[in-house]
Amino acid sequence: MSLLLMEQDADFLKLTNEIFTRQLAANHTLNNMLTDRARQKMYQDVKYNIDFLYTALCLEDDGIYARYARWLYQLLTPLMTGCSRESLRDIMTEHYELIRTCMSKTLSYEKHDRLHRLLNGAIKATAEECDAGPPAPSSAPVKYEKEVTRYLDCLLQSDTEGALALVTGCVKEGIPLDDVCSDIVAEAMRRVGELWHLHLISVDMEHYCTSVTQMALSQFYPLIFGQPRKGKTVLIACVGSELHEIGARMIADLFEYSGWDSIYLGAAVPVETLLSAAEKYQPDLIALSVTMPQHLPLCRNAVEQLREKFPKPKIAVGGNAFTDTKIWKSWNVDIYTEDAKALVQWADNTL
Ligand code: B12
C-alpha cells in the first residue's frame, strides 16, 4: 500500500523520528534485516499514524483517531498472516503505548492530556475491533441496489465495455443523471474501497475500477455541457495533497448539468492557487472536497483565508473525510452535504 504523505508539523516530525528510532533500537534483528526500501516504508507507516494523531488533536475531534485505529486494525488483520487477531491487537496497543512514551520527550506538556485521551481511545477502539471479529463488506441494500451490483460486477470482471454501457443504459432507462452519479457510481466506488481495505481485491483492480469509472462518467459530457446556462459560476477543488478527485469532478459535472459554469481545479490544489482562482473567476460558490482526514486542517485554513479575502462567494465543504464528524459546523462555511446531488439542489434553491 502506498500511503499519503504530507508536510509534518515540526514537533510531530520529532515524535515520528523518536518512535521510528526506538522501534528499530528495540529490535536489532529487524534493524539488521531491513532493506533501505523496507526501512523507508516502515518510516512512512509511522509518519502516517502520527499524521492522523496530529489531525485529531488539531481539530479536537477524538473520533478521527478512534476511527483510524479501527480502520488500521481491519487493514492489517488479513496482511499479518500467522498473527492471531489478539496478537495483532497487542502489537498495535504496544505501538500506541510507544507513542505515549515518546510524546513526553518530544511534545510540550499542555498537549499531553489530550494526546493521552486520543491514545486511550485508539487502544479501546482496537480492542473492540478485535472482539467484533472479521468485518464483512457492508451489505445493506441501497435504492439502486440492482444497478450498483451490476456495475460493480462489470468492474470486478474487468468488463470495461459492460461497465460503460451500464451507466449510459441507466440514463436511457430514465434514471436521473444525478442519481446515476451519486447513488450508483459513487456507491459502487465506495464498495470498491471496502473490498480493497479488506484485501478482497488487489491495488491494480482498485486502480482499474477507478479508471473505468472516470471513463464511464466522461461519456455524459455531451449531455452535461449541452444544458441552458444560468450565469452562475462554481469553483471546485481538492485541498492539500488530496488525490481523490472523482467526487469533486462529479460536483463539477452535476453543476454543469444544472446550467452552471464550473471551474474544476482537480486534485491536490495548494491554498494559494485556490485563492488566486477565486480572485480570477469571482465564483458564486466555492466547493472544497476532502477525502483523507489528514487534509481537514488545511481545508479549515483554506476556508478561513477565502472568507477573509472574498466575502461574497458561498463556501461548501464535503467528501469522505466529513463522514461521521460534525466539525464543519464550527467552521465558517455555508453548507456541507453528504453528496453532490444535494449540494446542487441547495445551490439552485439558494443562489
Ligand atoms: C478511487 C480511490 C483512490 C484513487 C483515487 C483516484 C482519483 N483520481 O480520484 C487512488 C488510487 C489514487 C487512491 C489512493 C489512496 N487511497 Co483511496 N480510495 C478510492 C476509493 C475506492 C473511491 C473514491 C471515489 O472516487 N469515490 C467516488 C466518489 C464519487 O465519491 P466521494 O469522493 O465520496 O464523493 C461523493 C461525496 O463524498 C460528495 N462529495 C465529494 N466531494 C465533495 C465536496 C463538497 C463541497 C460536497 C458538498 C460534497 C462532496 O459527493 C460525491 C458524490 O455524491 C475510496 C473508497 C471510498 N469509500 O470512497 C478509497 C479511499 C478513500 N482511499 C483510501 C486510502 C487509504 C487511500 C490511500 C492512502 C492508500 C491507497 N489506497 O493506496 C491513497 C491516498 C492517496 C492520496 N494521496 O490522497 C481509504 C481512506 C480511508 C480513510 N478515511 O482513512 C478509502 C476510504 C478506502 C478504504 N475503504 O479504506 N484512492
Side-chain angles (χ1 to χ4, degrees), residues 157-205:
Q157 287 161 21
S158 308
D159 177 7
T160 308
E161 243 178 89
L164 300 189
L166 191 125
V167 292
T168 46
C170 286
V171 173
K172 278 186 201 134
E173 281 163 28
I175 301 179
L177 181 65
D178 48 1
D179 282 11
V180 174
C181 293
S182 270
D183 299 337
I184 300 175
V185 174
E187 172 59 18
M189 286 307 288
R190 192 196 61 73
R191 293 183 192 188
V192 167
E194 203 170 62
L195 293 171
W196 166 81
H197 182 205
L198 298 175
H199 294 268
L200 297 172
I201 60 168
S202 60
V203 172
D204 65 279
M205 176 51 84

Side-chain angles (χ1 to χ4, degrees), residues 171-172 174-181 220-230 234 249-262 341 344 348:
V171 173
K172 278 186 201 134
I175 301 179
L177 181 65
D178 48 1
D179 282 11
V180 174
C181 293
F220 296 124
Y221 286 159
L223 175 65
I224 283 170
F225 288 95
Q227 301 302 314
R229 304 285 84 195
K230 286 183 174 152
V234 56
R249 184 179 286 277
M250 207 174 260
I251 301 269
D253 291 352
L254 293 184
F255 269 105
E256 282 289 342
Y257 185 54
S258 187
W260 287 58
D261 295 323
S262 67
K341 203 168 59 172
V344 178
D348 275 338

Side-chain angles (χ1 to χ4, degrees), residues 59-75:
L59 297 174
E60 301 187 23
D61 186 328
D62 294 10
I64 288 179
Y65 203 56
R67 277 192 297 280
Y68 168 68
R70 287 181 196 282
W71 175 87
L72 184 62
Y73 181 83
Q74 291 176 354
L75 181 80

